[in-house]
Amino acid sequence: MISDKKIEYPVSSGGVVYRHSKGSLEIVLCGRTKSRLWSLPKGTPVIGENLEETAIREVSEETGLEVVIQDKIGVINYSFVNEEKNIQYHKHVHFYLMVKSGGSFEKHDHEFDSVRWFSLEEALRVVTYENEIEVILKAKELIGSESNAKPGQ
């Protein structure tokens, strides 16, 4: 059967913000209480932005934190349909490894009800989207290799 749906290929950018706290690795997740959603911060570029600029802006807006990119984690791809608009989306989300350089959760926008640090283990249990688990695990590998390369961090 041939689909009459319009197909679009949106691109987004986001990040895994991490820190070491009391000997434990922690990452930031954004949550919505009503839908019980926990996810990594991400969003859509504005005209003229590159992927890194989008990631920094979106993570800053959604978390309230000022962040710096350390490395690229990778890209996830997924598809979904908006039946109301009769559009099938094939989305690509680019993720970056980030650290906090300032700001606070109190400054996060209202897209999410809650933003907070999670231990790595807890984040892997509560994150809503399975493909974001893969992103978090890749981030953990990068953090491990960076710690090995740069003692004391």
Side-chain angles (χ1 to χ4, degrees):
M1 181 178 184
I2 298 175
S3 173
D4 62 344
K5 288 186 180 8
K6 180 179 176 187
I7 298 176
E8 292 189 9
Y9 300 89
V11 174
S12 290
S13 231
V16 175
V17 182
Y18 79 95
R19 71 178 182 186
H20 294 283
S21 178
K22 300 174 188 165
S24 175
L25 178 61
E26 295 182 333
I27 66 166
V28 173
L29 293 178
C30 302
R32 291 191 188 112
T33 306
K34 189 174 181 179
S35 60
R36 294 184 172 178
L37 172 127
W38 286 102
S39 67
L40 295 169
K42 60 189 167 295
T44 305
V46 295
I47 294 171
E49 271 185 337
N50 65 36
L51 293 170
E52 292 85 2
E53 291 166 336
T54 299
I56 290 168
R57 179 184 52 77
E58 284 290 340
V59 170
S60 295
E61 288 174 0
E62 291 183 358
T63 67
L65 303 177
E66 296 167 21
V67 294
V68 175
I69 292 177
Q70 285 192 320
D71 208 342
K72 179 147 187 189
I73 298 170
V75 182
I76 59 172
N77 306 294
Y78 57 94
S79 298
F80 60 97
V81 175
N82 181 325
E83 295 292 348
E84 191 175 291
K85 294 182 178 179
N86 200 35
I87 300 174
Q88 181 168 0
Y89 295 97
H90 298 288
K91 189 165 188 173
H92 304 282
V93 185
H94 299 258
F95 281 100
Y96 297 86
L97 187 63
M98 302 176 159
V99 291
K100 174 184 171 183
S101 62
S104 72
F105 291 149
E106 289 76 34
K107 297 179 180 180
H108 78 85
D109 67 14
H110 298 290
E111 185 172 341
F112 292 97
D113 304 316
S114 180
V115 178
R116 69 180 188 89
W117 293 103
F118 285 82
S119 71
L120 178 70
E121 296 76 18
E122 188 180 10
L124 290 169
R125 276 196 310 276
V126 303
V127 72
T128 302
Y129 303 116
E130 197 167 316
N131 53 11
E132 290 188 0
I133 291 172
E134 297 169 27
V135 172
I136 293 168
L137 291 172
K138 286 180 184 175
K140 179 186 174 202
E141 288 176 22
L142 287 171
I143 294 164
S145 64
E146 287 187 8
S147 295
N148 294 336
K150 302 174 188 170
Q153 288 193 7

